[in-house]
Amino acid sequence: MTFTYEARSNLLMLVDLVNSGRRDVEDLPDPASLTEFVRTHGFSGPLTGTATELERVHAVRSEFATVFGADSVESVVALVNATLLRCNALPQLVDHDDWGWHLHAVAQTAPLADRIAIDIALVLVDVVRDGELARLQHCAAEDCDAVFVDFSRNRSKRYCDVGNCGNRAHVAAYRRRQEAAEAG
């Protein structure tokens, strides 16, 4: 699957959103951090900066965290369809900021949590239709619970980019080989 700029951006936003609540520290603890998340990921439209808005985004995060390692495609499809229905999705082409023509499925005045949920739902539509759900992965490091999207051509990525997990795993394996060589 060749990921469009919009699809890649929305998948990376999904990863950042899910990872913001997976480690020991909450990365979206207050409305100010949510404002930074929104700025980083280029969301347009209103931002209220309230605790209620933050709670709704946390709920979206919990809901969509389930797509990583989902039991079935059908469970992801059910989540996508429920989100599209709940948010009253009405797809429309828009052109704003530096994004060029792209798809929005709710008005830019919709609540932030709905805009985030719809962006995730729309990218998951493409992922499911292309049979690429397996690209949504959990980090293989034993001490990490982060998620990532495997954009590699051969689908071989095993570690997240959050905690230097791949490098730590490779160093540990090297040290085990060195110890085995010295012992043998």
Side-chain angles (χ1 to χ4, degrees), residues 34-49 53 94-99 102 104 106-116 119:
L34 181 59
T35 300
E36 180 61 22
F37 179 87
V38 166
R39 186 196 62 73
T40 299
H41 291 285
F43 279 94
S44 59
L47 176 68
T48 64
E53 184 173 61
V94 295
D95 182 15
H96 63 85
D97 302 320
D98 294 328
W99 285 86
H102 62 285
H104 279 200
V106 293
Q108 285 188 290
T109 56
L112 175 63
D114 289 354
R115 294 191 321 265
I116 290 172
D119 279 358

Side-chain angles (χ1 to χ4, degrees), residues 43-112:
F43 279 94
S44 59
L47 176 68
T48 64
T50 63
T52 301
E53 184 173 61
L54 180 63
E55 288 172 21
R56 290 193 66 209
V57 171
H58 283 176
V60 168
R61 175 178 69 191
S62 296
E63 191 174 41
F64 282 101
T66 63
V67 303
F68 293 88
D71 293 338
S72 67
V73 172
E74 290 78 13
S75 65
V76 175
V77 168
L79 175 58
V80 167
N81 286 339
T83 301
L84 294 172
L85 185 62
R86 181 186 79 238
C87 296
N88 299 313
L90 181 60
Q92 52 197 310
L93 281 170
V94 295
D95 182 15
H96 63 85
D97 302 320
D98 294 328
W99 285 86
W101 288 107
H102 62 285
L103 196 62
H104 279 200
V106 293
Q108 285 188 290
T109 56
L112 175 63

Side-chain angles (χ1 to χ4, degrees), residues 78-172:
L79 175 58
V80 167
N81 286 339
T83 301
L84 294 172
L85 185 62
R86 181 186 79 238
C87 296
N88 299 313
L90 181 60
Q92 52 197 310
L93 281 170
V94 295
D95 182 15
H96 63 85
D97 302 320
D98 294 328
W99 285 86
W101 288 107
H102 62 285
L103 196 62
H104 279 200
V106 293
Q108 285 188 290
T109 56
L112 175 63
D114 289 354
R115 294 191 321 265
I116 290 172
I118 286 296
D119 279 358
I120 294 169
L122 290 178
V123 75
L124 289 175
V125 166
D126 291 338
V127 170
V128 167
R129 287 185 341 173
D130 288 340
E132 297 287 1
L133 200 54
R135 288 185 180 268
L136 306 181
Q137 296 283 323
H138 286 277
C139 183
E142 292 179 15
D143 61 341
C144 183
D145 63 351
V147 298
F148 64 91
V149 177
D150 183 356
F151 290 117
S152 68
R153 286 185 180 197
N154 63 359
R155 295 164 183 79
S156 62
K157 186 171 179 174
R158 298 182 52 224
Y159 300 100
C160 72
D161 298 323
V162 175
N164 200 21
C165 295
N167 188 47
R168 288 186 299 112
H170 292 112
V171 168

Side-chain angles (χ1 to χ4, degrees), residues 5-19:
Y5 174 76
E6 182 180 5
R8 191 178 193 90
S9 296
N10 285 335
L11 286 168
L12 291 173
M13 179 269 299
L14 171 60
V15 165
D16 287 350
L17 181 64
V18 171
N19 285 339

